[in-house]
Amino acid sequence: MNNLFDHEDESSWYFGAINRQEAQDLLMAEKEGGVFLVRDSTTSVGDFVLCVKEDSRVSHYIINKMQQNNDQPSYRIGDQLFRSLSELVSFYKLHYLDTTPLIRPAKKKLERVIAKFDFESNEKDDLSFKRGDILTVLFKEEEQWWRAKDKNGKEGCIPVPYVQKLEESSSPVEGLRPQEGSISSTPESKPKPKQRILPAKARVKQVRIPNAYDDTALKLEIGDIITVMKTNINGQWEGELNGKIGYFPFTHVEFLDDDNGS
């Protein structure tokens, strides 16, 4: 049984905010059973789902993130409790779920983009690039900011308006439309995305009722003003609301200084 993958390598098996159907299609394309991935739950924010190909179907096992008395989170799947997701994955390398243990992570479908404009940033978490550079998308953290890596393996956040999807059948030269070929600087019609300085105020635009067992999650009501303290790659941001510090999905808020688009 060849299940010698590195369970500590979270980037190999954590697929982030893909939905159930995307996970289903990806795993059904695999030939062997035991191929798996871990994704964010779309129905229970803050929880995760272990998706595994078993025989001719894909099973979706909910993983509840729970908060213990010592403030250290734990992860529950069925009647099993683990200190981390990697510990959970390691356990099921040796133990069966229904019909199989975990054999290997699913192959990630690489999405590549080509830069339409130069982007230079002094922010250490951003990735600077030149027009025509090809980048590999790692995570879609925000609607306008994605995490990517360049050909040298350097990672950082990139502004989405500065890039376009590179079709596999296109060459890098063909990837840029002719009307964009003569643009050597950022056009007025595409203002440079503003560098976000934290902490920053944001308004809640979507209600969120957290898992009753998760003390780290913030309850959100439309119109609440939250102080965003940290943005995380997995889309769960950290903030302060009504004197409580906790986590919330970035899709539920909008920054106040974005209201007028100026």
Side-chain angles (χ1 to χ4, degrees):
M1 186 178 295
N2 182 22
N3 56 351
L4 300 179
F5 66 91
D6 182 5
H7 62 271
E8 295 285 354
D9 182 11
E10 183 174 321
S11 64
S12 69
W13 46 259
Y14 175 61
F15 280 56
I18 68 171
N19 61 38
R20 182 186 180 96
Q21 190 59 53
E22 288 173 320
Q24 186 94 8
D25 294 344
L26 197 153
L27 289 170
M28 286 303 295
E30 297 282 357
K31 295 180 179 180
E32 59 186 326
V35 180
F36 75 101
L37 63 87
V38 175
R39 62 179 174 86
D40 296 337
S41 171
T42 55
T43 56
S44 181
V45 177
D47 290 340
F48 301 89
V49 183
L50 172 61
C51 306
V52 188
K53 183 170 185 183
E54 299 192 79
D55 297 327
S56 59
R57 72 181 192 280
V58 174
S59 300
H60 302 263
Y61 298 95
I62 188 70
I63 302 172
N64 296 120
K65 182 179 178 182
M66 305 177 67
Q67 198 67 26
Q68 301 299 301
N69 294 332
N70 60 2
D71 291 333
Q72 291 297 319
S74 59
Y75 301 86
R76 184 182 66 191
I77 179 171
D79 59 357
Q80 298 286 341
L81 205 62
F82 302 92
R83 292 172 297 179
S84 66
L85 287 176
S86 60
E87 184 179 274
L88 182 154
V89 169
S90 176
F91 178 85
Y92 285 107
K93 287 170 68 173
L94 303 175
H95 298 79
Y96 277 62
L97 288 146
D98 184 4
T99 63
T100 179
L102 303 180
I103 303 300
R104 65 169 173 83
K107 293 184 177 68
K108 288 192 174 182
K109 183 179 179 180
L110 294 181
E111 181 176 348
R112 298 193 303 165
V113 295
I114 186 168
K116 298 188 290 183
F117 316 111
D118 293 352
F119 174 66
E120 295 290 341
S121 174
N122 294 322
E123 298 291 326
K124 65 178 181 179
D125 197 43
D126 290 347
L127 178 64
S128 297
F129 52 79
K130 298 293 185 182
R131 179 181 176 275
D133 284 355
I134 296 175
L135 310 170
T136 301
V137 177
L138 302 176
F139 289 100
K140 296 182 178 180
E141 298 184 3
E142 304 179 38
E143 183 178 349
Q144 295 297 313
W145 288 90
W146 293 348
R147 179 164 289 273
K149 68 177 179 180
D150 61 19
K151 63 180 181 180
N152 298 317
K154 186 177 180 181
E155 297 183 14
C157 293
I158 62 171
V160 176
Y162 280 42
V163 301
Q164 68 184 46
K165 185 176 180 180
L166 180 67
E167 301 296 338
E168 293 303 322
S169 58
S170 303
S171 70
V173 175
E174 294 169 341
L176 291 177
R177 299 290 183 264
Q179 63 267 31
E180 293 165 346
S182 60
I183 298 177
S184 59
S185 61
T186 307
E188 292 182 2
S189 59
K190 270 196 194 303
K192 182 177 179 180
K194 76 182 61 169
Q195 298 299 314
R196 184 69 57 192
I197 299 176
L198 300 178
K201 299 290 186 182
R203 179 183 293 109
V204 176
K205 61 180 181 178
Q206 185 176 340
V207 173
R208 188 233 188 164
I209 306 298
N211 187 318
Y213 296 101
D214 188 356
D215 293 335
T216 67
L218 292 178
K219 179 180 179 181
L220 306 178
E221 297 288 348
I222 294 176
D224 284 348
I225 303 299
I226 188 168
T227 301
V228 180
M229 302 167 63
K230 184 178 181 182
T231 57
N232 297 312
I233 293 176
N234 64 5
Q236 292 294 309
W237 288 1
E238 184 176 353
E240 187 271 333
L241 177 63
N242 297 327
K244 179 181 178 180
I245 295 176
Y247 295 91
F248 60 94
F250 76 90
T251 52
H252 285 49
V253 304
E254 56 188 358
F255 286 105
L256 293 183
D257 52 4
D258 285 344
D259 286 352
N260 299 321
S262 58

